[in-house]
Each structure stands twice: as C-alpha cells, then as structure tokens.
Amino acid sequence: MQYRWEEIDQLAEILEAEVAGHPVDVDRARELAERLVRLCPDIARTMSRVVERFAPEAATAAA
C-alpha cells in the first residue's frame, strides 16, 4: 500500500497541536482523515476514529 505521507503529516501536525492545547482546524482534520480512509484502507479503522473525533456532533457534545 502506498501511503499518502503529505496527508498523514498534515493530520499529525493538527493532532499534535490539539494535544498541546492549541486551537485547530477541525474541518481540515476531518477532511484529511476522510481522505485517508479512502486512500489507505489498512489504516481506515484508525482514521474513522479521527473522523468521529472531529465530527460536528463531537464538538457540540464536548462543549
């Protein structure tokens, strides 16, 4: 499987920023994870969890 390192690196930066307590672009994070679900089926399960984490409903529940 050919990984899309650019997308993975971008998503990693967003997740690291969130962990550090910085504001992040949740729409971009979800978009990247959704793209990786399609491009990299072997990591789709993990990326689906990221999609769920950044879903609009999750942000409302966290507030």
Side-chain angles (χ1 to χ4, degrees), residues 29-35 37 46-56 58:
R30 188 176 58 253
E31 175 185 298
L32 287 165
E34 288 171 344
R35 182 165 167 72
V37 164
T46 301
M47 291 300 103
S48 293
R49 294 186 70 190
V50 175
V51 170
E52 290 175 17
R53 166 68 184 89
F54 288 108

Side-chain angles (χ1 to χ4, degrees):
M1 173 58 56
Q2 180 74 22
Y3 284 107
R4 298 292 300 212
W5 294 111
E6 183 178 337
E7 286 91 345
I8 291 171
D9 288 343
Q10 289 177 24
L11 184 56
E13 287 178 16
I14 292 170
L15 294 172
E16 289 171 0
E18 184 190 32
V19 168
H22 301 291
V24 297
D25 183 346
V26 296
D27 292 331
R28 181 66 178 147
R30 188 176 58 253
E31 175 185 298
L32 287 165
E34 288 171 344
R35 182 165 167 72
L36 288 166
V37 164
R38 293 188 304 276
L39 293 172
C40 307
D42 51 332
I43 61 170
R45 188 173 183 186
T46 301
M47 291 300 103
S48 293
R49 294 186 70 190
V50 175
V51 170
E52 290 175 17
R53 166 68 184 89
F54 288 108
E57 305 83 46
T60 303

